């Protein structure tokens, strides 16, 4: 995947904030290309969780006790996490979160890493935040994100797939 321009997040002051797309209780896909060599524990990739347990957080956990997990919390409760894996290898990885019906799936490089069940609303505050965790500071992402795409109403991946090899079209 030839990345020529991406967003770098430094773990302290960098983040991206935009209007929450109100994913609600329906199907959706959140996907991105991720590159990091950091071992920050539970660094948020994308979420709308406020100061209390409301909304959701899609996180990467690269601490030494887990060896590298992706995890999703909704309203403060764990919905699904992957088994250990190395996401801090300074290599580009395609990661995704989908919900189809009530099945929530984590994807890494086209392979399902774990599934859970949740009918809870994935809507939270009025804003969605990338690379900053407002609930558990200082657990902010240190790394690069490229081609972040959020699709409301469609679970784009429901079985093993080949990640895109080119940028998403405009």
């Amino acid at each position: 995947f030839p990345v020529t321009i991406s967003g770098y997040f430094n773990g302290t002051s960098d983040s991206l904030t935009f209007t929450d797309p109100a994913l609600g209780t329906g199907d959706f896909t959140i996907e991105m290309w991720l590159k990091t060599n950091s071992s920050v524990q539970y660094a948020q990739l994308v979420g709308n969780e406020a100061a209390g347990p409301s909304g959701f957080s899609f996180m990467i956990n690269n601490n030494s006790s887990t060896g590298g997990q992706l995890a999703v919390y909704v309203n403060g409760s764990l919905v699904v996490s992957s088994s250990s894996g190395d996401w801090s290898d300074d290599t580009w990885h395609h990661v995704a979160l989908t919900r189809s019906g009530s099945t929530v799936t984590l994807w890494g490089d086209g392979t399902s890493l774990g599934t859970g069940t949740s009918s809870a609303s994935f809507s939270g505050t009025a804003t969605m935040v990338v690379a900053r965790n407002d609930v558990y500071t200082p657990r902010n992402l240190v790394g690069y994100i490229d081609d972040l795409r959020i699709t409301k109403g469609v679970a784009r991946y429901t079985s093993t797939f080949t990640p895109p090899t080119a940028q998403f079209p405009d």
Side-chain angles (χ1 to χ4, degrees), residues 44 48-54 57 59 132-137 139:
Q44 179 167 288
N48 60 8
E49 194 172 41
S54 64
S57 187
M59 304 172 137
R132 184 181 75 228
N133 189 325
D134 289 335
V135 179
Y136 302 106
T137 57
R139 297 178 180 178

Side-chain angles (χ1 to χ4, degrees), residues 25-38:
T25 59
D27 295 355
F28 67 84
T29 303
I30 299 173
E31 62 185 309
M32 69 192 76
W33 284 92
L34 171 70
K35 179 180 175 182
T36 182
N37 62 6
S38 172

Side-chain angles (χ1 to χ4, degrees), residues 47-69:
N48 60 8
E49 194 172 41
S54 64
F56 82 97
S57 187
F58 178 21
M59 304 172 137
I60 182 171
N61 185 5
N62 276 330
N63 75 350
S64 60
S65 69
T66 63
Q69 292 178 320

